[in-house]
Amino acid sequence: MADEAELREQLIDAFEDADYPVSSPMDLVPALPNGPGTKFESGDFSMTAMELNTKASGDFPYENVDSLVDDLIAELNEQGEL
């Protein structure tokens, strides 16, 4: 089982340096340490940024990292990924 707090921290670390506001997933790519291949892992959860983009629809634009990560975590929970 994934540790939501650990995953949240990883997502914040990966996306916090994006140039906010962001209007699309492509605006986030430059902030990622390994580009779209950046991997987020916790417990039995493992997903790259590219896979995450296909799972989460996102409600762009995002004004800050916290609102982005809140939506990502909520969508992953809704889809039973966490």
Side-chain angles (χ1 to χ4, degrees):
M1 178 173 213
D3 179 337
E4 191 174 306
E6 178 184 20
L7 186 58
R8 179 178 296 276
E9 185 177 322
Q10 289 178 37
L11 291 166
I12 289 172
D13 286 348
F15 294 123
E16 69 185 344
D17 290 333
D19 188 16
Y20 290 91
V22 294
S23 57
S24 78
M26 293 307 296
D27 292 342
L28 298 168
V29 173
L32 295 170
N34 295 318
T38 299
K39 193 170 274 196
F40 304 99
E41 298 177 303
S42 177
D44 58 356
F45 177 87
S46 178
M47 194 173 286
T48 65
M50 186 177 293
E51 292 168 321
L52 184 62
N53 183 48
T54 65
K55 296 283 185 183
S57 60
D59 189 20
F60 289 89
Y62 285 100
E63 297 297 320
N64 57 58
V65 70
D66 292 322
S67 60
L68 170 66
V69 171
D70 288 347
D71 277 2
L72 290 172
I73 294 291
E75 286 192 51
L76 290 170
N77 273 314
E78 287 173 16
Q79 295 175 14
E81 295 286 343
L82 299 181

